[in-house]
């Protein structure tokens, strides 16, 4: 909503409504997609990522939302369903809370969900469901772990024009889900390997340097 529309809406809704709305928006909002067959919610890797990230964001308020999807072995049905839910949640947050820094994350099949909404559609097996380009301005960082697209060399850091520079895409050694290796236990060891913490470190840095989409930048290049 433009500045004039926002002022008009605030006047119609009454004093205090606009400020209450702003207070309901967290500084940071994390949307995370769990891995295949993990229980509904963030999953083990997602929860560890959120816990680590909270510890690095100091006094910033953090909202957390799990992608609501089957995470089943019917990958071609499950992952696109997750992409649709993740996209809807992210776009709703961007519209409702334009100053909130959004973090998008996923593990294993959840990483593929993130690929579908942030990657180049031509590089995601024809199932690309990219979000509108202006949503990228609201996303401070993307973190994916055990990304299946890595098996064909399609990491988000190299294949996503809008999100690549703000993405960390990690594969644990010879994890066969994201590489041509055969170390199956590696796929379950992202927390123990320290890669979850590495992802949280990266995201925290991006959040600290990200100017919200509604922030004005003056002619000198500094935030105004």
């Amino acid at each position: 909503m433009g500045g004039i529309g926002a002022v008009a809406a605030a006047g119609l809704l009454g004093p205090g409504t606009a400020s209450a709305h702003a207070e309901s928006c967290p500084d940071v909002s994390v949307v995370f997609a769990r891995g295949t067959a993990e229980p509904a919610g963030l999953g083990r890797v997602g929860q560890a990522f959120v816990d680590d990230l909270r510890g690095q964001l100091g006094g910033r308020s953090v909202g957390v939302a799990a992608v609501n999807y089957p995470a089943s072995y019917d990958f071609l049905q499950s992952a696109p369903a997750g992409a649709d839910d993740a996209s809807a949640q992210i776009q709703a947050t961007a519209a409702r809370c334009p100053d909130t820094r959004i973090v998008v994350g996923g593990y294993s099949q959840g990483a593929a969900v993130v690929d579908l909404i942030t990657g180049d559609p031509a590089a995601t097996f024809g199932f690309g469901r990219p979000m509108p380009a202006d949503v990228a301005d609201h996303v401070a960082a993307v973190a994916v772990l055990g990304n299946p697209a890595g098996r064909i060399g399609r990491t988000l850091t190299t294949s996503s024009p809008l999100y690549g520079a703000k993405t960390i895409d990690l594969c644990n050694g010879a994890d066969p889900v994201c590489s041509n290796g055969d170390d199956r236990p590696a796929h379950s060891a992202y927390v123990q390997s320290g890669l979850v913490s590495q992802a949280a470190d990266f995201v925290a840095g991006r959040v600290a340097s990200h100017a919200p989409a509604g922030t004005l930048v003056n002619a000198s290049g500094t935030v105004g």
Side-chain angles (χ1 to χ4, degrees):
M1 181 180 293
I4 295 175
V7 171
L12 290 171
L13 293 172
T17 303
S19 60
H21 171 78
E23 290 173 3
S24 69
C25 292
D27 297 322
V28 180
S29 179
V30 180
V31 177
F32 197 95
R34 71 192 191 281
T36 304
E38 287 193 301
L42 296 174
R44 183 177 61 88
V45 171
Q47 187 63 61
F49 171 76
V50 168
D51 290 346
D52 202 324
L53 182 61
R54 282 187 191 277
Q56 297 191 47
L57 291 179
R60 290 187 177 91
S61 58
V62 181
V64 179
V67 174
N68 182 18
Y69 83 117
S72 70
Y73 289 100
D74 186 1
F75 191 91
L76 296 184
Q77 294 294 322
S78 178
D84 289 340
D85 183 79
S87 179
Q89 291 198 50
I90 294 163
Q91 290 185 63
T93 298
R96 185 180 67 253
C97 302
D99 292 333
T100 291
R101 294 160 169 86
I102 300 173
V103 172
V104 184
Y107 160 64
S108 191
Q109 185 178 168
V113 165
V114 177
D115 287 341
L116 296 182
I117 61 174
T118 62
D120 177 357
T124 51
F125 313 105
F127 290 96
R129 284 162 157 76
M131 294 184 290
D134 60 353
V135 173
D137 295 334
H138 298 267
V139 175
V142 178
V144 287
L145 304 105
N147 188 355
R151 284 182 59 88
I152 58 171
R154 296 286 191 178
T155 62
L156 272 178
T157 55
T158 58
S159 68
S160 177
L162 291 176
Y163 297 91
K166 61 181 73 176
T167 295
I168 186 166
D169 190 331
L170 298 173
C171 184
N172 188 22
D175 175 358
V177 171
C178 51
S179 77
N180 292 319
D182 59 1
D183 184 1
R184 294 184 63 84
H187 190 62
S188 300
Y190 279 83
V191 177
Q192 301 91 318
S193 68
L195 292 183
V196 168
S197 292
Q198 183 179 334
D201 288 345
F202 173 86
V203 169
R206 292 291 311 186
V207 165
S209 63
H210 179 77
T215 302
L216 297 177
V217 178
N218 63 33
S220 67
T222 58
V223 176

